[in-house]
Amino acid sequence: MGNCCLPNKKKRLKTPLLQTEYSNEEKETKKKRSNEIRIVLLGAGESGKSTFIKQMKFIANGDFDSQDKLNTKALIRKTCFNQMKVLISNSERLGINLENKELANEIKKKNDIDDWDSNFGRELKTLWDDIGIKKTYQFRNKKFHLNDSASYFFNSLERISEDDYDPITEDVLRCRVTTVGLYEETYEFDKYEITFIDVGGQRSERKKWNHCFERANSMIFFASLTGYCQVLLENSGINRMKESLNLFSQVCKSPWFVSSSIILFLNKQDLFKDLIEEIDLHEYFQEYNGGKDYDNAVEFITSKYLEVGKSSQFNKNREIFPYVTCALDTKMIKYITKVAIDTLFNNTLKTIGLI
């Protein structure tokens, strides 16, 4: 992968701090300004950035508004339809027979959902219960890409198909939304005013990253723990975690973040706990010999990211703060984000000489 996603900037020289004493009033003014933090969220596609943004919105407002839920309702139904078509297509590609082949062919021929009704929901539920579809689903990591939330929504088809269906909080959080372009959201969080800058993580979106680097003074990088055995949506021949590690290396070597501490969110802890018991990390990283053990695997993956993150020619002593997260867990995200933001805040104060 080339470096087209990173800005072509010369190394910026660090200006030595002035050896002056600040008055108490000056210190308070500078501290107030440093409370205004701008954080760019980076990471490969489907690493959890958009879910994190939704969590921040939920934490700040206490709930999702009616428009959010209305938009999510249509998207969830469309997602169920599209993800079932992915399973049908891959059952054919893998030579797996379906019990309800005629129904599968009817669904496959549809280009879109004209009107979702309870009958259509029952048809999708019939296919989800099909032994062949279940068998195809087992190949979703190694052979093809399927949304992490697919089974959650398929198992909720009866509720989703009701005429008065109103998405619950977990539905909104789990609904996969591909970030296209660049979005900024500002929230009051604890004692800080934080602007999060979210930009798409797919390869086609990374050329836009250089437009957001100038706007940020901190960075949180998202990496999916489950990516070790998964393939990219854009290219089924590329391992998702190895792509993420390569991307993290490039970002850490960028002169834009030469003096920045980096927060690393190793996300999807909940899914990883189950996956590591099924698929050994050694199959994809030969140097790993910790077996199907959660703690050993997390320690190894963390060390891989720290290794590539600290290989920067600009700042080999940069601090990287890793956190194992589940973006769907509101309490966890609220706590870890507070700890992470406090860390960024204190490092900012050190940089401007206030502590």
Side-chain angles (χ1 to χ4, degrees):
M1 183 172 62
N3 292 324
C4 61
C5 63
L6 297 176
N8 184 19
K9 286 277 186 180
K10 294 181 180 179
K11 177 181 177 182
R12 296 185 296 177
L13 297 177
K14 293 178 68 176
T15 303
L17 294 173
L18 295 176
Q19 301 300 313
T20 58
E21 291 294 329
Y22 294 111
S23 67
N24 290 335
E25 184 177 347
E26 288 175 323
K27 285 185 178 182
E28 288 304 314
T29 299
K30 285 180 176 290
K31 282 188 177 183
K32 183 176 180 181
R33 289 176 180 172
S34 65
N35 280 13
E36 300 170 0
I37 302 175
R38 297 178 63 81
I39 303 175
V40 61
L41 308 179
L42 299 179
E46 297 190 59
S47 54
K49 301 186 305 298
S50 296
T51 305
F52 175 81
I53 284 289
K54 285 189 282 188
Q55 282 283 21
M56 290 297 100
K57 185 173 186 177
F58 180 79
I59 291 169
N61 300 329
D63 198 359
F64 296 109
D65 60 38
S66 56
Q67 189 59 50
D68 285 330
K69 292 182 178 181
L70 182 62
N71 293 339
T72 300
K73 176 179 178 178
L75 186 55
I76 287 173
R77 288 177 168 178
K78 185 174 182 179
T79 297
C80 288
F81 169 64
N82 288 332
Q83 293 296 283
M84 184 55 71
K85 290 183 70 173
V86 170
L87 287 170
I88 293 169
S89 296
N90 280 283
S91 68
E92 294 177 354
R93 184 174 67 86
L94 297 171
I96 298 174
N97 293 322
L98 303 182
E99 298 172 312
N100 300 277
K101 191 171 184 178
E102 185 175 334
L103 176 58
N105 287 334
E106 290 178 10
I107 298 295
K108 185 182 176 182
K109 290 177 183 177
K110 291 180 179 288
N111 294 320
D112 206 345
I113 312 169
D114 297 322
D115 291 303
W116 183 294
D117 57 24
S118 57
N119 183 59
F120 186 74
R122 281 193 294 270
E123 289 178 344
L124 291 186
K125 182 68 166 58
T126 297
L127 286 174
W128 176 236
D129 291 336
D130 190 297
I131 294 176
I133 289 293
K134 292 291 190 186
K135 185 175 181 180
T136 303
Y137 179 77
Q138 298 305 314
F139 290 96
R140 69 195 180 282
N141 291 311
K142 294 184 177 181
K143 299 295 185 180
F144 63 94
H145 174 271
L146 197 71
N147 289 356
D148 290 330
S149 59
S151 63
Y152 169 82
F153 288 119
F154 285 144
N155 289 328
S156 305
L157 277 168
E158 290 184 13
R159 178 171 59 85
I160 291 170
S161 300
E162 293 174 355
D163 293 336
D164 59 350
Y165 166 57
D166 186 35
I168 60 176
T169 299
E170 188 170 2
D171 292 350
V172 179
L173 290 173
R174 286 182 177 271
C175 184
R176 165 79 179 131
V177 181
T178 302
T179 304
V180 178
L182 187 151
Y183 296 91
E184 293 189 11
E185 297 282 353
T186 301
Y187 299 107
E188 294 288 338
F189 185 81
D190 197 41
K191 59 188 175 184
Y192 310 105
E193 180 178 294
I194 307 174
T195 297
F196 292 104
I197 305 169
D198 187 20
V199 62
Q202 277 75 21
R203 285 184 165 190
S204 60
E205 291 294 310
R206 293 176 198 166
K207 59 182 178 291
K208 304 172 186 176
W209 284 15
N210 57 344
H211 298 299
C212 69
F213 286 174
E214 281 185 316
R215 307 183 185 189
N217 52 26
S218 302
M219 185 247 287
I220 298 178
F221 190 92
F222 288 75
S224 171
L225 287 168
T226 60
Y228 76 95
C229 64
Q230 296 176 339
V231 296
L232 291 182
L233 172 63
E234 310 96 301
N235 188 332
S236 61
I238 297 179
N239 179 272
R240 188 176 289 269
M241 183 167 286
K242 291 179 180 178
E243 169 88 348
S244 176
L245 284 164
N246 186 29
L247 185 59
F248 187 56
S249 175
Q250 290 187 50
V251 168
C252 288
K253 291 176 181 177
S254 168
W256 289 97
F257 299 108
V258 63
S259 60
S260 301
S261 296
I262 294 175
I263 301 297
L264 172 64
F265 278 4
L266 296 168
N267 197 32
K268 304 190 180 182
Q269 174 198 43
D270 55 330
L271 298 175
F272 181 71
K273 283 183 176 180
D274 293 330
L275 194 59
I276 195 63
E277 294 180 358
E278 177 186 347
I279 303 174
D280 197 328
L281 184 59
H282 179 73
E283 292 183 37
Y284 300 89
F285 291 86
Q286 297 299 307
E287 64 271 37
Y288 172 75
N289 294 298
K292 296 180 179 181
D293 181 86
Y294 169 81
D295 292 326
N296 290 341
V298 168
E299 182 179 356
F300 173 82
I301 292 172
T302 302
S303 69
K304 293 293 289 186
Y305 277 94
L306 293 179
E307 179 184 341
V308 301
K310 293 187 176 181
S311 64
S312 168
Q313 59 181 316
F314 297 124
N315 189 351
K316 296 183 182 298
N317 296 317
R318 170 201 282 122
E319 290 185 281
I320 300 174
F321 300 94
Y323 299 91
V324 178
T325 63
C326 171
L328 293 169
D329 188 328
T330 302
K331 288 184 179 179
M332 174 189 284
I333 288 299
K334 186 175 182 179
Y335 171 74
I336 289 179
T337 300
K338 182 184 184 308
V339 173
I341 299 303
D342 283 341
T343 299
L344 292 175
F345 174 68
N346 288 332
N347 276 275
T348 299
L349 293 184
K350 287 180 183 179
T351 301
I352 62 178
L354 292 182
I355 60 173

